[in-house]
Amino acid sequence: MRHVAVIGSGPAGYYSAEALQKLFGDEVRVDVIDRMPVPYGLIRFGVAPDHQSIKAVSRRYEKVALSDNVRFCGNVLVGRDVSVPELLSLYDAVILATGAPNDRPIGIPGDDLPGVIGSAAFVGWYNGHPEFADLDPPLDVAAAAVIGNGNVALDVARILSKTPHEFVGSDIVAHAFGALANSAIRTIHLLGRRGPHQIAMTPKELGELGHLEDAVPRTDLADFPPEMDDALLEPGQRKSVTHLREFSGTTPDKGKTILFDFFAKPVRIEGDGRVERLIVERTALDDKGAAVGTGETYEVPCGMIVSCIGYKTPPIEGVPYEEDRGRFANSEGVIGNGLYAVGWARRGPSGTIGTNRPDGYEVAEKIAADLSGGGGRKQGRTGLDRLLESRGVDLVTFRDWQKIEAAEAARAREGAPREKFIAIEEMLGARGR
Ligand code: NAP
């Protein structure tokens, strides 16, 4: 028998468990450990609440979770309740699938003013992450600036633009639904430090902006290279740029406007006790495609700034870490003897949910090769249970999660978003022990 611990129950964690199961069949026992009492990480707390079709991938992970040789161990924080060296002594292999839930700081003067928010916090707030329930973003202002030209920036701009009606069928949490319904924001500036050809947005997500009930996206054709240059782009990017070009011809005849500002590098945030404006420097591209400041600055009046410039994996004591890349130091997923990394903890925060699947299969193969001489002398889950019990840890099982999920479903009201539990105590209470 091989005993494997997977830390993190998001996509990378469950794809790894699935791969181990496929490779080893009944000869493996996998414990998927998560600090939250609820599974699926990014799917529950990161993917936008109005993207239910993407969230539906959790049904695939559920199949893995319900199999006999995989178990969910929720409400267990590695580094507090159990250490990585302890897990290595209990399991033949330990896989870090902890994702990248921390914000990369924008690091410009004024970024500590109230009203400057990182995307992890903002996305966590509208998705019911217990750590960000009290964020209370200042939505009483006329304009917001969203920094970054990736899909997270698009998610944030779209969520700020939607009407309550457009959230029906979503699982946005009640506090965010109510606050957004009363939002005074009418202008959303989407700032990219490079140009339309350098965006990191995907066409489907960009296309959605063109169909909002009460918001219009706007671009300025002066920011674009000659149209014939679009032919040089790969097809997906070309489609995205086509959407951006279409947005130059829109009429701002709805309640809200999403203004794309390209070649705009944030240099300073100003305000008297709270954000009032963002100072931006115009850029140009150098011959390597990097944004270089031109020295010309202008100001973007805004009362809230959401910085969507990428994420970091939280370090774990004793595990080698690459500060500049915000991920664990690893060589093709191997950190050290018996210790592996997958997903964003391995590669950094890039790619779609499906990009994590090959990582899981690759790491399973590596574990098979590393354990070819045997394995199976470790205690695995029996040892973990003993240790957690001695420390008074309240372990949450998958069956518990099913009760929590059923209790959440029972709270659903017709014509309103589904209501998730936010506080950890509420989740623990809903499992009814
Ligand atoms: P991302 O795709 O890496 O985009 C980050 C953006 O921030 C880039 O436009 C980058 O510009 C910009 N940026 C970085 N540092 C900056 C700075 N100091 N000042 C100004 N701008 C800065 O990251 P993400 O949007 O966080 O998304 C993470 C991953 O999740 C991506 O792979 C994304 O596609 C995926 N995702 C997918 C979906 C979906 O499929 N629906 C939804 C959300 C997220 P440069 O290019 O100039 O560096």
Side-chain angles (χ1 to χ4, degrees):
M1 184 61 66
R2 285 97 171 161
H3 299 285
V4 182
V6 177
I7 322 302
S9 68
Y14 271 116
Y15 284 128
S16 301
E18 179 185 271
L20 289 161
Q21 202 180 33
K22 287 218 164 109
L23 198 65
F24 292 116
D26 205 32
E27 286 304 301
V28 72
R29 292 289 176 270
V30 184
D31 277 353
V32 179
I33 299 172
D34 203 294
R35 66 187 173 125
M36 287 291 155
V38 293
Y40 308 140
L42 179 90
I43 303 297
R44 181 176 172 105
F45 295 119
V47 173
D50 58 339
H51 280 171
Q52 289 296 310
S53 59
I54 300 180
K55 292 198 180 212
V57 74
S58 62
R59 293 297 158 211
R60 176 179 177 148
Y61 309 147
E62 188 180 55
K63 270 196 195 132
V64 179
L66 285 171
S67 65
D68 288 342
N69 48 358
V70 176
R71 105 178 154 150
F72 174 68
C73 307
N75 205 29
V76 178
L77 178 60
V78 173
R80 180 193 65 194
D81 301 324
V82 57
S83 69
V84 169
E86 282 169 337
L87 289 173
L88 285 167
S89 74
L90 292 171
Y91 293 85
D92 296 303
V94 175
I95 303 175
L96 300 179
T98 46
N102 290 4
D103 277 314
R104 206 172 256 291
I106 179 84
I108 55 174
D111 62 2
D112 53 349
L113 278 172
V116 183
I117 301 170
S119 54
F122 193 70
V123 170
W125 171 73
Y126 62 61
N127 261 325
H129 194 295
E131 275 167 26
F132 304 112
D134 299 329
L135 184 73
D136 196 17
L139 302 174
D140 58 335
V141 297
V146 178
I147 302 174
N149 266 181
N151 278 327
V152 171
L154 266 188
D155 280 349
V156 168
R158 189 181 69 254
I159 295 290
L160 284 171
S161 308
K162 280 199 161 179
T163 61
H165 174 248
E166 287 172 294
F167 284 115
V168 172
S170 79
D171 65 347
I172 192 165
V173 290
H175 64 219
F177 179 66
L180 288 164
N182 293 318
S183 163
I185 293 173
R186 294 291 170 265
T187 306
I188 297 145
H189 297 270
L190 240 176
L191 300 156
R193 62 181 172 181
R194 298 192 289 157
H197 274 199
Q198 287 75 37
I199 54 164
M201 300 160 171
T202 42
K204 184 173 162 290
E205 283 65 28
L206 207 40
E208 278 179 75
L209 288 197
H211 304 284
L212 294 171
E213 253 177 29
D214 194 32
V216 180
R218 301 268 298 157
T219 54
D220 183 348
L221 273 189
D223 288 330
F224 287 69
E227 198 162 348
M228 62 190 211
D229 288 4
D230 293 2
L232 304 171
L233 299 171
E234 62 83 20
Q237 192 76 340
R238 199 182 315 139
K239 219 169 160 187
S240 292
V241 172
T242 303
H243 282 307
L244 290 174
R245 286 191 188 276
E246 284 161 6
F247 296 163
S248 68
T250 56
T251 316
D253 54 0
K254 294 186 182 172
K256 296 176 186 175
T257 311
I258 302 170
L259 280 176
F260 284 79
D261 268 23
F262 292 108
F263 302 106
K265 182 172 96 168
V267 289
R268 198 166 64 249
I269 298 164
E270 294 178 349
D272 187 6
R274 63 181 281 182
V275 175
E276 289 174 22
R277 69 198 80 84
L278 175 63
I279 309 300
V280 165
E281 182 178 14
R282 277 192 206 286
T283 65
L285 295 182
D286 68 9
D287 54 2
K288 292 193 183 72
V292 186
T294 60
E296 185 195 343
T297 60
Y298 65 99
E299 64 176 64
V300 176
C302 54
M304 181 174 85
I305 296 175
V306 187
S307 133
C308 310
I309 60 164
Y311 296 118
K312 286 162 70 164
T313 295
I316 298 179
E317 207 187 324
V319 180
Y321 188 77
E322 286 176 1
E323 192 60 51
D324 53 333
R325 302 174 88 162
R327 60 175 204 191
F328 295 115
N330 72 89
S331 168
E332 293 175 343
V334 180
I335 299 177
N337 225 348
L339 188 60
Y340 308 84
V342 288
W344 285 6
R346 167 187 169 170
R347 291 179 281 106
S350 66
T352 61
I353 288 160
T355 316
N356 297 300
R357 197 166 163 264
D359 279 12
Y361 282 76
E362 198 184 329
V363 86
E365 297 281 356
K366 287 209 159 84
I367 291 173
D370 291 349
L371 292 182
S372 59
R377 282 180 289 277
K378 303 280 180 87
Q379 295 173 39
R381 57 181 62 166
T382 329
L384 180 71
D385 287 353
R386 213 174 288 140
L387 191 78
L388 294 180
E389 207 184 320
S390 73
R391 292 179 182 166
V393 178
D394 185 8
L395 187 116
V396 171
T397 65
F398 201 77
R399 193 167 280 275
D400 291 333
W401 152 243
Q402 287 177 307
K403 288 186 197 156
I404 299 170
E405 194 182 28
E408 286 185 342
R411 283 154 50 112
R413 286 170 294 124
E414 199 166 325
R418 214 187 75 206
E419 276 189 41
K420 293 190 285 194
F421 291 117
I422 299 162
I424 289 188
E425 301 72 45
E426 269 186 313
M427 297 173 189
L428 294 176
R431 92 197 134 145
R433 257 195 225 150

